[in-house]
Amino acid sequence: MHGLPTEHYTSPALFERERERIFGRLWLFAGLKMMVSRSGAYYARTLAGRPIVLQNLGGEVGCFLNVCAHRNAQVQPEGVGVRAFVCGYHGFRYAIDGSVAQIPMEETHYRYTPKERCSLALRRFSLEQVGELLFVNFADDPLPIHEQFSPELLSQLAEVSHYFDTDLIEAAHTGRYNWKLPGENLRDLLHPRFVHPQSLFPLFDFERPPTEPRAPSEGRTKLREVSYGGAEGRAKKDFSWPWWNQLERWPKASEDYYNWLLFPNLHIASPDGCRTFGIEQYDPVDVGHTRLVHFMLTSRQKDRLPEGDALLRGMLRGARSILEEDTNIMESVQRSFVSGSPTMQLGAYEHDLHQFVTVTQDLLDD
Ligand code: FES
Ligand SMILES: [Fe+2]
């Protein structure tokens, strides 16, 4: 089995095609519902090169291109906050459907024709809620989300995320690697033995003999098969923390390491049986750079943990040191993609990884 030809990691033209055919058409994780849970709350970020804003107005959440319809200023500043849905440049106020609700000094200074007035609107994108997880689709006519993710996966994520706590920490880091390398790395369960010999490998067992490759399936089913998740690794040692009994967790959880991989670029991990979670999104910046947007949170705290903030920061530090080990490897792989470097040769155990690259290629050819 072969991996993708190396130009898929180096060609700006192929990257643009991926932006259009993959990131422009599929459902992408945009943020968490809890970040925009009250009226006026917003979360503004960049996703696959587009500035977007999730905005709550009167309890309804919309997702918009964060570019003012007047003269293109950013409507909401980057990050989370609570603020009227008003552009800071000339005060145009927007409604939840994206239309302009109010323009200061409209009569005297703008005198738009009715047609011009109608065309003033923020671009609104389709949004789907899966429990706490919000997914956006940039297409005008998006595919149904259950064609991208199986109903079983969607209902499990909805159930699990129902137990997410409302305190979270967010961090971001840009690495020098193509966005597909983490997608491949995460579907490679043998790498912890070599890349994380001191950190992850002594604690968890992810390895299993390769299963017989499933029969290739057609069309959308194939797309669904590259997104999956659940209990994936066993702890090699018993460990527990006193604050665990302060958490209310998903009742179906076992004591395993949980991993969920959602094509194209989302990874949710819970190393401790759904007590704490890391949500990682590998956002493509350009063909050789990827921005990791990383959230950490615990499951619902029955009483607020007194050291909750310090705990989240500690979790983030721990996760970052493991991710750094992955980053070093991915950056070295990216550096090797000079012209003439060999196409990757995949073994039987890399079946999931192979499916990931096959689906990527199919979507480009579509
Ligand atoms: S650019 Fe936004 S109100 Fe003018
Ligand atoms: Fe890793």
Side-chain angles (χ1 to χ4, degrees), residues 228-297:
Y228 49 83
E232 200 166 49
R234 295 220 144 255
K236 289 178 181 166
K237 299 178 182 156
D238 273 350
F239 64 98
S240 66
W241 297 96
W243 47 269
W244 277 8
N245 56 25
Q246 294 281 59
L247 304 176
E248 195 182 336
R249 70 170 175 147
W250 181 41
K252 293 182 192 161
S254 60
E255 295 301 313
D256 291 309
Y257 194 117
Y258 280 75
N259 261 333
W260 287 273
L261 290 167
L262 277 77
F263 190 86
N265 65 343
L266 187 70
H267 175 217
I268 303 176
S270 176
D272 46 18
C274 297
R275 293 179 175 94
T276 64
F277 298 89
I279 302 174
E280 300 153 26
Q281 185 172 38
Y282 293 90
D283 189 30
V285 175
D286 61 33
V287 72
H289 291 88
T290 300
R291 186 165 182 262
L292 165 59
V293 182
H294 197 179
F295 301 92
M296 301 289 296
L297 65 161

Side-chain angles (χ1 to χ4, degrees), residues 185 191 195-196 200 322 326:
N185 183 54
H191 86 271
V195 178
H196 311 295
L200 208 53
I322 294 171
D326 291 307

